[in-house]
């Protein structure tokens, strides 16, 4: 098995101690392990939102014979341990960079697909009556420094002018009243797209709906070996599935020894979350914290946070590059300090949950989607640059479309998504590149603070 971080990150027998895991009462044995040899039309490797969405749309829209093999329980990995933000866009490129690289039409198509993803996620929740604490009516990007306000304002204007997405600049004084107060609040852009949810509860409902639609889901069934002999044979400890087509939906948990085409193309980055104890209304008033919309700030190593319907604060950022259990303790302490730095009036509020997982960056900073050039029966989607919730469900739907509606293997998805991401040179050095980037970004964030 070839994965970047310490083995503790990938241990499916030790579910992450997330707040969601605690409150969502998961029946880990709901879906069986694969036993014996089976065959089907499409086999999906990985039961996160990408894999589930692919299977859901194949079964529901085309009545296709689809099975999902998942290493852990449904909810083990990033999809159900994330912050629950449904926002955009799934890229680290600026609008100017996107337009320069892909042209205006493809960039427009990309943004409209991101909105389509938001709407699709909302409609899956409502059509299947999934109770996942959906709250909010959009997203907020907060300027963490006076020097970032203009840049954010411009971003909001571009979304409106180029892509027809409703945005509004909220000056600092107004945001103090309607959003929150903090040491890093100098105005915010409101984007009228997206919401927040409990991702574990969504996962449970989505997996159930997928089975109801006719797909078969197997848990604790890691694909250990992949044989190609006419069709594909995916082998687990308990059995095997022979399939005409395979969808690789393993994102930040990809075992790079499984298929050579995916090696050294992903940069999994650990993202960390803390959640506080429940707070009273009076305690929220200490920071005048009102909004339930998810928030990202403008730091290079951004902070993301939200007030949860359960009256706790969730706060996240990136940082650790080791992934062993010992580094988790340090990271929890580091995160708590950062949280208190931003919200000093909550200095005495205890943090009672900490966890982490991987997000995938790519070398070209856009998602990778499609079928392999040398084997069109292997499809993939990964690299959402930490904005996966709307993008995974959208890409899963597009993968299903590509399999059942396209004879040529082409799809009408924006070119921003298309093809494998470029390989990262000297891939074994990826963690060192990341450390360098984190060090540099911390430095620029700090120097900005002192302006
Ligand atoms: C802490 C954190 C916070 C985040 N917050 C947000 C957020 O608020 N909003 C947002 O949009 N995005 C967020 N993200 C990113 C988002 O969670 C991901 O982009 C998204 O979940 C990716 O979904 P996926 O299905 O592609 O991958 P995953 O959910 O990671 O699923 C991949 C699955 O593949 C399985 N797998 C791997 N190898 C094998 C194998 N050989 N055999 C069988 N199964 C295998 C794994 O067990 C795993 O379950 C966050 C991520 C993290 C870690």
């Amino acid at each position: 098995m070839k994965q970047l971080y310490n083995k503790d990150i990938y241990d499916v027998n030790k579910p992450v101690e997330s707040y969601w895991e605690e409150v969502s009462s998961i029946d880990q044995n709901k879906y069986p392990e694969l036993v014996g040899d089976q065959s089907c039309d499409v086999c999906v490797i990985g039961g996160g939102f990408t894999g589930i969405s692919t299977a859901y749309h194949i079964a529901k829209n085309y009545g296709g014979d689809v099975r999902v093999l998942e290493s852990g329980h449904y909810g083990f990995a990033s999809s159900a341990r994330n912050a629950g933000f449904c926002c955009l866009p799934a890229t680290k490129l600026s609008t100017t960079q996107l337009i320069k690289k892909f042209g205006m039409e493809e960039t427009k198509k990309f943004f409209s697909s991101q909105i389509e993803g938001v709407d699709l996620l909302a409609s899956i929740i409502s059509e299947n009556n999934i109770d996942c604490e959906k709250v909010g009516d959009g997203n907020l990007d907060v300027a963490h420094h006076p020097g970032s306000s203009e840049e954010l304002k411009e971003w909001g204007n571009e979304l409106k002018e180029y892509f027809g997405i409703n945005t509004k600049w909220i000056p600092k004084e107004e945001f103090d009243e309607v959003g929150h107060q903090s040491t890093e609040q100098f105005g915010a852009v409101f984007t009228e797209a997206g919401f927040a949810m409990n991702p574990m509860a969504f996962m449970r409902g989505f997996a159930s709906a997928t089975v109801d639609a006719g797909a078969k889901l197997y848990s604790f069934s890691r694909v250990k070996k992949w044989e190609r002999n006419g069709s594909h044979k995916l082998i687990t400890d308990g059995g095997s599935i022979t399939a005409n087509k395979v969808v690789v939906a393993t994102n930040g948990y990809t075992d790079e020894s499984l298929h050579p085409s995916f090696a050294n193309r992903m940069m999994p980055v650990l993202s960390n979350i803390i959640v506080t104890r429940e707070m009273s209304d009076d305690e929220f008033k200490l920071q005048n914290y009102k909004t339930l919309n998810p928030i990202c700030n403008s730091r290079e190593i951004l902070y993301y946070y939200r007030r949860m319907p359960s009256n706790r604060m969730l706060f996240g950022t990136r940082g650790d590059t080791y992934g062993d259990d010992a580094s988790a303790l340090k990271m929890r302490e580091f995160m708590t300090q950062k949280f208190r730095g931003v919200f000093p009036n909550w200095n005495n509020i205890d943090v009672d949950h900490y966890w982490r997982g991987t997000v995938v960056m790519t070398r070209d900073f856009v998602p990778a989607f499609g079928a392999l050039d040398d084997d069109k029966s292997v499809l993939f989607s990964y690299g959402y640059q930490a904005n996966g919730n709307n993008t995974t469900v959208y890409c899963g739907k597009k993968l299903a479309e590509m399999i059942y509606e396209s004879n040529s293997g082409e799809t009408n998805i924006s070119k921003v998504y298309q093809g494998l991401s470029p390989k990262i040179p000297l891939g074994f050095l990826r963690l060192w590149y990341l450390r360098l980037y984190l060090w540099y970004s911390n430095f620029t964030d700090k120097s900005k603070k002192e302006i």
Side-chain angles (χ1 to χ4, degrees):
M1 187 149 100
K2 199 168 155 235
Q3 284 160 321
L4 262 198
Y5 291 96
N6 186 284
K7 63 179 175 12
D8 293 344
I9 289 291
Y10 309 102
D11 187 352
V12 294
N13 295 312
K14 199 178 62 178
V16 68
E17 291 171 353
S18 75
Y19 171 73
W20 313 122
E21 192 98 27
E22 186 182 296
V23 299
S24 302
S25 60
I26 301 144
D27 177 2
Q28 289 203 20
N29 298 317
K30 182 163 180 192
Y31 302 103
E33 281 182 52
L34 177 72
V35 179
D37 301 322
Q38 303 188 7
S39 57
C40 65
D41 189 23
V42 182
C43 186
V44 178
I45 310 176
F49 294 157
T50 303
I52 295 289
S53 178
T54 308
Y56 175 80
H57 288 101
I58 289 178
K60 181 169 168 276
N61 296 352
Y62 307 99
D65 179 9
V66 56
R67 285 149 217 228
V68 183
L69 293 172
E70 164 54 43
S71 285
H73 68 80
Y74 283 82
F76 160 70
S78 298
S79 293
R81 64 170 84 172
N82 71 44
F85 292 28
C86 172
C87 51
L88 49 122
T91 178
K92 288 287 168 217
L93 297 182
S94 67
T95 7
T96 314
Q97 287 168 318
L98 283 168
I99 293 166
K100 190 165 173 220
K101 188 163 177 195
F102 300 100
M104 184 54 111
E105 278 321 299
E106 293 301 327
T107 306
K108 276 188 175 168
K109 217 166 153 186
F110 171 68
F111 275 93
S112 83
S113 76
Q114 289 281 298
I115 299 288
E116 201 181 323
V118 171
D119 294 342
L120 179 63
L121 182 51
S123 73
I124 292 170
I125 293 171
S126 65
E127 277 169 26
N128 296 291
N129 296 316
I130 300 175
D131 180 6
C132 60
E133 297 161 344
K134 179 171 171 283
V135 288
D137 57 0
N139 276 277
L140 290 157
D141 289 284
V142 165
H144 78 287
H145 183 272
S148 307
S149 305
E150 278 310 309
E151 218 174 288
L152 272 188
K153 234 188 251 182
E154 200 179 313
W155 154 251
N157 289 339
E158 284 172 359
L159 287 186
K160 205 184 312 184
E161 191 184 325
Y162 298 156
F163 314 119
I165 300 171
N166 233 349
T167 61
K168 182 186 165 206
W169 172 251
I170 309 172
K172 175 183 166 40
E173 297 67 31
E174 190 183 337
F175 198 75
D176 274 344
E177 293 310 313
V178 299
H180 67 68
Q181 296 166 359
S182 88
T183 55
E184 298 197 5
Q185 194 283 93
F186 297 91
V189 179
F190 171 71
T191 304
E192 200 185 359
F195 50 85
M197 64 173 183
N198 168 339
M200 180 66 85
F202 174 66
M203 167 60 86
R204 270 194 340 197
F206 198 18
S208 269
T210 302
V211 171
D212 291 347
K216 291 200 170 79
L217 268 50
Y218 297 96
S219 61
F220 296 100
S221 302
R222 184 168 79 83
V223 178
K224 297 174 79 174
K225 205 167 166 212
W226 183 337
E227 290 175 357
R228 182 79 164 107
N229 212 342
S231 45
H232 300 269
K233 187 171 183 184
L234 303 172
I235 301 163
T236 69
D237 274 339
S240 71
I241 291 187
T242 301
N244 298 323
K245 290 197 162 67
V246 175
V247 173
V248 176
T250 50
N251 204 45
Y253 293 81
T254 301
D255 172 353
E256 296 196 353
S257 60
L258 203 57
H259 193 296
S261 297
F262 298 98
N264 295 331
R265 294 191 189 271
M266 304 183 202
M267 179 67 246
V269 177
L270 290 177
S271 197
N272 305 265
I273 290 178
I274 53 173
V275 166
T276 66
R277 67 160 167 79
E278 205 175 315
M279 286 155 64
S280 66
D281 283 348
D282 283 346
E283 284 171 326
F284 274 106
K285 279 186 192 141
L286 294 173
Q287 294 287 166
N288 210 22
Y289 204 110
K290 291 181 182 156
T291 180
L292 290 177
N293 285 327
I295 296 180
C296 291
N297 80 1
S298 56
R299 279 175 173 268
E300 181 66 30
I301 309 289
L302 63 82
Y303 295 161
Y304 53 94
Y305 47 92
R306 56 182 275 220
R307 176 176 174 166
M308 299 157 84
S310 57
N311 284 329
R312 295 162 182 265
M313 279 300 295
L314 177 154
F315 182 86
T317 191
R318 313 203 209 302
D320 180 23
T321 56
Y322 295 92
D324 56 320
D325 286 344
S327 70
L329 288 173
K330 281 194 207 140
M331 204 56 207
R332 179 182 177 136
E333 191 46 42
F334 171 83
M335 302 269 299
T336 307
Q337 274 177 24
K338 297 291 167 200
F339 170 67
R340 292 182 173 157
V342 179
F343 298 110
N345 297 340
W346 288 337
N347 254 328
N348 62 346
I349 304 294
D350 290 335
V351 164
D352 60 18
H353 289 82
Y354 164 81
W355 70 92
R356 60 190 168 179
T358 57
V359 301
V360 171
M361 315 297 289
T362 52
R363 200 176 128 197
D364 51 2
F365 299 114
V366 288
F369 171 99
L372 293 181
D373 283 340
D374 57 356
D375 186 349
K376 295 282 180 203
S377 64
V378 177
L379 297 96
F380 57 86
S381 180
Y382 64 86
Y384 311 108
Q385 330 289 320
N387 257 319
N389 285 340
N390 62 332
T391 318
T392 50
V393 290
Y394 171 80
C395 288
K397 184 175 179 217
K398 284 288 173 194
L399 285 170
E401 244 174 66
M402 199 169 163
I403 294 170
Y404 285 92
E405 286 187 26
S406 159
N407 293 327
S408 58
E410 297 300 317
T411 170
N412 66 355
I413 196 167
S414 159
K415 288 202 167 35
V416 173
Y417 296 88
Q418 283 186 30
L420 283 171
S421 51
K423 280 202 183 234
I424 299 170
L426 305 176
F428 61 95
L429 290 177
R430 276 174 288 176
L431 282 181
W432 288 101
Y433 300 150
L434 178 62
R435 283 172 193 140
L436 205 61
Y437 166 74
L438 289 171
W439 175 83
Y440 174 75
S441 304
N442 263 325
F443 173 75
T444 49
D445 279 338
K446 266 193 196 138
S447 50
K448 204 164 198 181
K449 190 87 186 131
E450 282 153 16
I451 286 170

